[in-house]
Amino acid sequence: MSAEAVRALFDEWERVWHEGQYGLVSKCVAPAYVRHDESGTRKVTPEEYAAELEARHKARPNTRIVVYDHEFTADRAWFRFNLTWTDAATGEQRSRAGMQSYRIEGGKLAETWLSVLALGSAWPDIGRQERWTSRR
């Protein structure tokens, strides 16, 4: 896969996150998507992950991911980002800063490693990209 094809994959992945186009998950995610995050390591199907994302967005309205830095290769990608959302119970704005890397196989997201900082964390608002895949 070329870096441009990986860029196109993440343009679609951003539509899933920011526009709620959960039907694109099966186009973006491998049949067994391995996730390494705060809750441990697990495998999910595209259908399971689409349902998780939809539930997460309902629980965390106005979810936005702002990317500050990224890199794409033929089979890898990483992002430095801020995640923001509205607390459904209090209406307060919440945030977490993080880094995420991906392994791509067969043109789809096959594995990811996610590391996020504490609730309330945020990267300085320097270098904010217009879109996830914007050129720096």
Side-chain angles (χ1 to χ4, degrees):
M1 214 175 161
S2 70
E4 285 305 313
V6 172
R7 181 181 308 278
L9 171 63
F10 280 97
D11 283 338
E12 290 195 330
W13 196 230
E14 183 175 10
R15 290 171 44 207
V16 170
W17 277 91
H18 287 171
E19 299 171 18
Q21 294 187 26
Y22 306 113
L24 291 174
V25 173
S26 62
K27 185 176 178 184
C28 298
V29 171
Y33 182 36
V34 180
R35 298 188 45 79
H36 308 277
D37 57 31
E38 293 175 303
S39 55
T41 297
R42 62 196 173 95
K43 286 183 183 180
V44 292
T45 66
E47 297 77 20
E48 290 168 337
Y49 198 56
E52 283 183 27
L53 290 176
E54 190 170 3
R56 184 173 298 150
H57 283 133
K58 286 179 183 171
R60 292 180 166 181
N62 306 311
T63 296
R64 298 300 293 175
I65 298 171
V66 175
V67 170
Y68 291 90
D69 202 8
H70 73 275
E71 190 65 44
F72 303 122
T73 67
D75 67 346
R76 307 279 181 200
W78 65 263
F79 294 89
R80 180 173 62 90
F81 65 90
N82 279 341
L83 170 65
T84 62
W85 70 94
T86 304
D87 185 296
T90 66
E92 293 179 45
Q93 192 70 13
R94 302 286 188 208
S95 68
R96 291 185 84 177
M99 302 268 310
Q100 189 163 9
S101 61
Y102 296 87
R103 182 177 60 80
I104 299 156
E105 189 175 282
K108 295 185 176 192
L109 305 175
E111 191 168 13
T112 188
W113 295 262
L114 174 64
S115 179
V116 288
L117 299 176
L119 185 64
S121 60
W123 300 113
D125 207 17
I126 299 168
R128 178 184 177 130
Q129 297 177 188
E130 183 178 330
R131 297 194 46 94
W132 290 6
T133 61
S134 297
R135 296 197 187 272
R136 292 169 279 181

